[in-house]
Amino acid sequence: MQSRLIVRNFGPIEYVDLDLRNVNVFIGPQASGKSALAKLYTIFKAPRKFLKDVKDDTIKQTVSIANPFFKEVLEEYNIASFIKSDTGIEFESELHSLIYDGKEITYVPKLLKRIQKLEKLKNDFPIKKGSIKKEIIDLSKDFFLFQFEIDDILKDKEDDFMSIEEYTFDKLDIDTFQSILEVIKNIEMHLSTNAALYIPSERNFINIVKNASLNLLLNKVPIPKHILSFGAELEKANIKKIDLGFLNENITYKNIKGEDRIFTNNKHSIKLTEAASGIQSVLPILIPILSRNSLSYQRSFVIEEPELNLFPIAQYKLIKLLESNRDEPDWEDYGAIHTYTTHSPYILSSFNNLLYANKVIKSLKEKYKTASVISREYEKIEKQVGEIITRDIDPKTFTAYQISNGGAESIFDREKGLIIDNYIDEASDTMADDFDALMNLMK
């Protein structure tokens, strides 16, 4: 799924125009603005969370920057001070568009507008069934969960129901139509309110908060609200066990009677707070992502610095694990979008391997395709690729940007389908140049 984020004069950002897809990577030095962009994406991906006064019957709503809910969410992510008098922010997706011009926000709920068009047909229900059928079919083609939920409703009304397209809409009654409207409006509300989760770099702090929340409240410790919000999301996750063997053999996380513990074998365990910092950094990423199921409302997981406290090979294994557990969002309301901020060239190399795996699979498919039939030789090699890389990434669904000097530069070669090598090797080249300069002094 594609979306677009344009930001002008916001904190360290002077101007960026980002084409965002199913997997997005931002790399850049400290204080370059990559986290600010990731936070803005999180906020604007689910605007109804802060535009609380926007009603369902709104077609186009303008909300002033003085709106306390918007200011509150900027403060929640510690970016309220980034706004300047000439700040401009634009966000566009299949669900909605938002424009902030320095004074107010213009919000256009595009999906809700389509639902309202369908809802208006209820006034002339008996004679508008043809139009109702067209609108319902169009929505179900674009949104998987609409199709899934509408199918369930119509199956209850027709024993030999096959599909929405084949349903005899002459049989549709007003109560069934109302049930369809309520279901799709509920899905739209979830997508516009709860569709994004920001996983902060300060995630290790959650373990401390969980065990000392009363003392922190008593002493009025000013904990950033986005960290507390993320902690609340972790508490909702219903996952009791995670295999952490990719970090070290035989390591397992278990939640036993509300206590987080790390097992090094079947009998011996320690508290999570006593575990290595890499384990404490990884678990808050894995818990919400692994607890998500394929029929959850689409989630955009914005993962800040996944490499924290991890050995390079563990960084690679983590990316493979995260992407192996990501359902590709072929529909706007289905699957998951992952956006990463990073300082690590190893993270870029990890993604290049997953991108190259896709290139290998497509190349071999073309090579071994005979008369539109895929040969057994291809199937054998595809299996071998899968044993090396458990998940490949289609370049069409990927973007990567270097954020620096107030702007954003694409570091993804869309023609080759790979991240440009120069950016992966940049840090190594700088260190090698310094080493060569020192060597020259020894001559």
Side-chain angles (χ1 to χ4, degrees):
M1 290 294 105
Q2 286 185 255
S3 57
R4 188 180 184 191
L5 178 65
I6 301 173
V7 181
R8 295 181 293 274
N9 299 318
F10 183 79
I13 300 297
E14 294 177 10
Y15 179 81
V16 299
D17 186 345
L18 304 178
D19 165 28
L20 301 174
R21 305 195 181 189
N22 297 355
V23 182
N24 311 290
V25 181
F26 302 156
I27 190 168
Q30 289 83 1
S32 60
K34 60 185 183 299
S35 290
L37 291 171
K39 289 174 179 178
L40 283 177
Y41 174 73
T42 305
I43 292 168
F44 283 84
K45 185 70 177 173
R48 299 276 281 277
K49 184 176 181 179
F50 68 89
L51 297 175
K52 297 176 183 177
D53 56 348
V54 176
K55 306 300 181 184
D56 282 358
D57 59 355
T58 302
I59 296 296
K60 184 173 181 179
Q61 178 75 26
T62 301
V63 182
S64 170
I65 184 59
N67 183 310
F69 302 121
F70 182 61
K71 293 185 71 175
E72 182 182 304
V73 78
L74 294 178
E75 290 167 358
E76 177 180 330
Y77 286 92
N78 291 335
I79 54 175
S81 62
F82 284 21
I83 285 189
K84 303 173 184 177
S85 59
D86 56 351
T87 291
I89 306 169
E90 298 177 35
F91 181 82
E92 187 84 23
S93 75
E94 293 289 328
L95 296 172
H96 52 256
S97 66
L98 295 104
I99 299 175
Y100 171 67
D101 63 3
K103 296 179 181 179
E104 58 189 18
I105 293 175
T106 301
Y107 167 59
V108 180
K110 297 194 296 190
L111 173 56
L112 185 58
K113 191 174 180 179
R114 292 178 66 183
I115 295 172
Q116 290 163 354
K117 181 180 178 181
L118 177 61
E119 193 169 26
K120 286 181 179 179
L121 296 173
K122 188 171 63 174
N123 297 329
D124 299 307
F125 178 76
I127 61 173
K128 293 289 186 178
K129 287 189 178 181
S131 298
I132 289 170
K133 177 180 180 178
K134 180 181 182 306
E135 295 298 329
I136 288 177
I137 289 174
D138 287 347
L139 281 169
S140 67
K141 286 179 179 177
D142 293 340
F143 296 91
F144 173 79
L145 289 176
F146 284 5
Q147 182 183 116
F148 184 81
E149 296 287 353
I150 293 169
D151 275 358
D152 275 354
I153 292 171
L154 296 181
K155 281 175 186 176
D156 290 339
K157 299 292 181 180
E158 189 170 292
D159 293 336
D160 58 349
F161 175 79
M162 297 295 292
S163 68
I164 295 173
E165 288 87 346
E166 295 175 4
Y167 179 74
T168 307
F169 272 79
D170 288 342
K171 298 179 182 179
L172 186 70
D173 58 68
I174 190 70
D175 291 338
T176 303
F177 182 46
Q178 185 60 42
S179 296
I180 290 173
L181 287 172
E182 288 174 3
V183 162
I184 63 177
K185 286 174 72 174
N186 184 53
I187 293 173
E188 189 278 336
M189 176 58 79
H190 276 281
L191 292 173
S192 299
T193 307
N194 305 311
L197 179 64
Y198 188 81
I199 303 178
S201 59
E202 305 95 332
R203 52 190 172 270
N204 286 28
F205 187 66
I206 298 297
N207 299 321
I208 300 171
V209 172
K210 284 175 67 175
N211 295 315
S213 56
L214 292 178
N215 281 328
L216 291 169
L217 290 171
L218 180 65
N219 292 287
K220 298 180 180 179
V221 177
I223 304 169
K225 193 173 178 182
H226 73 279
I227 297 177
L228 294 176
S229 297
F230 174 64
E233 287 289 332
L234 282 184
E235 287 185 353
K236 296 177 189 175
N238 184 25
I239 192 162
K240 301 297 183 183
K241 182 179 178 180
I242 297 176
D243 181 358
L244 297 174
F246 75 96
L247 293 176
N248 210 328
E249 192 175 359
N250 298 324
I251 294 181
T252 304
Y253 158 79
K254 293 181 182 179
N255 182 282
I256 301 175
K257 296 180 180 179
E259 183 179 39
D260 297 324
R261 298 195 70 85
I262 302 298
F263 284 76
T264 53
N265 56 49
N266 290 333
K267 295 181 180 179
H268 182 255
S269 69
I270 59 174
K271 295 178 181 178
L272 176 58
T273 51
E274 299 171 337
S277 58
I279 294 173
Q280 294 191 50
S281 293
V282 159
L283 273 172
I285 300 175
L286 294 178
I287 288 173
I289 289 176
L290 296 183
S291 64
R292 181 192 180 279
N293 66 60
S294 61
L295 292 180
S296 298
Y297 295 110
Q298 181 239 53
R299 296 303 297 262
S300 295
F301 293 98
V302 181
I303 306 161
E304 193 170 26
E305 299 177 28
E307 71 271 13
L308 283 179
N309 305 311
L310 293 181
F311 194 66
I313 193 64
Q315 296 179 34
Y316 178 37
K317 290 180 178 180
L318 175 61
I319 293 301
K320 288 198 290 185
L321 179 60
L322 292 175
E323 288 305 305
S324 294
N325 284 277
R326 183 179 60 84
D327 298 309
E328 202 69 63
D330 296 320
W331 290 267
E332 183 70 25
D333 61 333
Y334 175 83
I337 294 172
H338 288 177
T339 299
Y340 301 85
T341 72
T342 184
H343 298 119
S344 173
Y346 299 111
I347 296 294
L348 296 186
S349 295
S350 299
F351 281 110
N352 248 9
N353 278 12
L354 273 63
L355 290 160
Y356 192 67
N358 181 270
K359 189 172 185 177
V360 170
I361 289 170
K362 286 182 177 178
S363 176
L364 292 173
K365 187 174 183 179
E366 191 64 31
K367 179 179 179 180
Y368 291 108
K369 184 169 66 175
T370 306
S372 300
V373 177
I374 304 301
S375 69
R376 289 185 178 180
E377 186 65 25
Y378 165 73
E379 292 175 351
K380 177 183 174 182
I381 297 176
E382 184 185 34
K383 183 178 179 182
Q384 291 175 337
V385 172
E387 290 171 353
I388 300 169
I389 302 288
T390 53
R391 171 64 181 272
D392 61 287
I393 297 178
D394 189 331
K396 293 178 181 177
T397 69
F398 182 86
T399 65
Y401 291 95
Q402 176 163 281
I403 312 299
S404 61
N405 302 318
E409 180 182 2
S410 175
I411 58 172
F412 183 61
D413 187 327
R414 197 152 295 283
E415 185 176 337
K416 293 182 179 179
L418 295 170
I419 297 170
I420 300 169
D421 288 340
N422 292 350
Y423 292 93
I424 296 176
D425 298 333
E426 185 176 9
S428 298
D429 289 346
T430 300
M431 289 185 282
D433 289 345
D434 286 352
F435 189 84
D436 289 343
L438 293 170
M439 288 284 289
N440 290 332
L441 295 177
M442 294 291 288
K443 293 179 179 178

